Amino acid sequence: MPRHAPTPPTTRQPTTGAAAPSRAGLMQGLGAYVLWGVLPLYFMTISIASATEIVANRIVFSLVFCIILIAATRSWGELRTLIRDHGAMRRLAVAAVLITVNWVTYAYAVLHGHTVEASLGYFINPLVSAALGVVFLKEKLSRLQWTALGFGLAAVAVLTFAYGSIPVIALTLAFSFGLYGFVKNRVGRTATAATSLTVETAFLTLPALAYMAWLMFHGQATVFTNGAGHFWLMAASGVVTAVPLLLFAGAARRLPLSTVGTLQFLTPVMQFIIAVAIFHEDMPIERLAGFALVWVAIILLAIDMLRRPRVRATVPAGTASSTAQTAASEPTA
């Protein structure tokens, strides 16, 4: 009888291929958006401070954390490369102003009972990003994207009626962060998550320190006058700011852009739930109708995003649709 060749032993494939990075990226993306989603709970632990004091401390402690991180990862070379890029520095200076507006508005919203409206701002941010692409880059939107924009405009009209005025907080958050993402995506490859945040906070540190000194002089600062617990909670703002941003950067390198763009809606969903279920903010039927229109727009955008080619989120700025890039940019609220 002929001899059969021995059956080779079954070998287990290592998980070092595309599956492992995707799983790691998914965990990093979920971690980033969950941390951003529970940010209102953190702000409530330091609510004896004003929104402007929180932001001033957040700037200073973020810079401290970033410098420690740069030193620990020996990224001084990358930081020097970024600093020598004058175009990137100008864009990051503009980004620093925009993110300050965003941070102050968000902190004010949470501390003054407007977390629902703040979540609305991040729900409609992708619609603003799409509009920015049309206005500034003459991009052509798909039929689904135009339909989503129509639902978004209808939602703003309904919510204007529901609130009795234009939802200024939501629109300020959406436009400040939409423009921030637009500017950041023009910076290019010289900036990493750590180096760009270092430069942005460095631009803002002197004004932040001056404002903190003014608060102390007038006896209005809380950071040093309310015990060690409050001080360390304020100091933790540096970690609270940087850690989800770094997790997002890791996810963006490993996941398709469509996945990152879809995950971003987790943050405003969590903020909305916290506002209604924990902070007990009002949600009358007319306001809920406006949010329903926004959610329809989001579903349409998500469908459109998932139908597009599964490209990575690390496409160099200027070589892909800015609308798609900005929609998946980090919501550093």
Side-chain angles (χ1 to χ4, degrees):
M1 294 181 64
R3 296 180 64 187
H4 294 283
T7 302
T10 302
T11 58
R12 186 174 181 176
Q13 295 296 323
T15 58
T16 56
S22 294
R23 283 196 294 271
L26 183 62
M27 295 305 296
Q28 289 172 320
L30 287 172
Y33 287 115
V34 167
L35 288 173
W36 280 319
V38 299
L39 196 59
L41 298 177
Y42 166 71
F43 280 157
M44 293 308 291
T45 67
I46 53 175
S47 59
I48 58 173
S50 66
T52 48
E53 184 187 1
I54 289 173
V55 171
N57 281 271
R58 187 177 184 182
I59 290 167
V60 173
F61 287 119
S62 293
L63 180 62
V64 172
F65 182 83
C66 285
I67 291 173
I68 294 172
L69 183 64
I70 295 290
T73 57
R74 299 179 180 179
S75 301
W76 298 110
E78 289 90 337
L79 183 59
R80 285 193 294 270
T81 299
L82 177 58
I83 291 173
R84 287 195 293 265
D85 187 338
H86 299 298
M89 292 294 284
R90 286 193 296 270
R91 292 182 179 94
L92 287 174
V94 175
V97 174
L98 290 168
I99 202 59
T100 300
V101 172
N102 185 273
W103 284 354
V104 171
T105 305
Y106 186 80
Y108 174 87
V110 173
L111 298 179
H112 291 82
H114 299 288
T115 307
V116 165
E117 191 176 348
S119 73
L120 173 65
Y122 291 108
F123 274 126
I124 66 177
N125 174 68
L127 302 174
V128 171
S129 298
L132 290 173
V134 172
V135 172
F136 291 106
L137 300 177
K138 310 303 180 186
E139 291 183 349
K140 296 185 182 299
L141 301 184
S142 68
R143 186 176 300 175
L144 272 178
Q145 288 174 320
W146 279 115
T147 305
L149 282 176
F151 273 100
L153 289 174
V156 171
V158 171
L159 288 166
T160 297
F161 170 78
Y163 281 102
S165 62
I166 295 173
V168 175
I169 290 174
L171 293 176
T172 301
L173 288 172
F175 277 93
S176 62
F177 184 70
L179 289 167
Y180 171 78
F182 180 82
V183 171
K184 286 289 290 287
N185 278 312
R186 309 272 77 75
V187 170
R189 285 189 167 185
T190 54
T192 65
T195 57
S196 63
L197 184 61
T198 301
V199 170
E200 288 172 39
T201 51
F203 277 127
L204 300 168
T205 295
L206 283 179
L209 286 172
Y211 180 70
M212 289 169 63
W214 184 87
L215 288 177
M216 291 176 191
F217 180 79
H218 288 83
Q220 298 178 21
T222 68
V223 63
F224 296 119
T225 60
N226 286 270
H230 179 68
F231 170 81
W232 288 113
L233 281 171
M234 294 285 274
S237 60
V239 178
V240 168
T241 300
V243 168
L245 180 61
L246 296 173
L247 288 173
F248 171 86
R253 286 193 299 269
R254 293 175 171 87
L255 294 176
L257 187 65
S258 58
T259 303
V260 177
T262 304
L263 281 176
Q264 73 173 317
F265 297 119
L266 180 62
T267 293
V269 167
M270 292 182 65
Q271 293 171 350
F272 179 85
I273 293 172
I274 288 171
V276 175
I278 299 178
F279 297 166
H280 303 294
E281 293 187 14
D282 292 335
M283 182 51 63
I285 188 64
E286 61 272 18
R287 194 177 298 178
L288 189 59
F291 271 83
L293 291 172
V294 172
W295 294 329
V296 170
I298 288 169
I299 292 170
L300 294 176
L301 279 182
I303 292 172
D304 182 80
M305 209 176 302
L306 292 171
R307 286 171 54 183
R308 293 176 181 273
R310 294 173 66 81
V311 296
R312 294 287 174 184
T314 51
V315 179
T319 63
S321 168
S322 72
T323 302
Q325 288 185 22
T326 307
S329 59
E330 64 277 12
T332 49

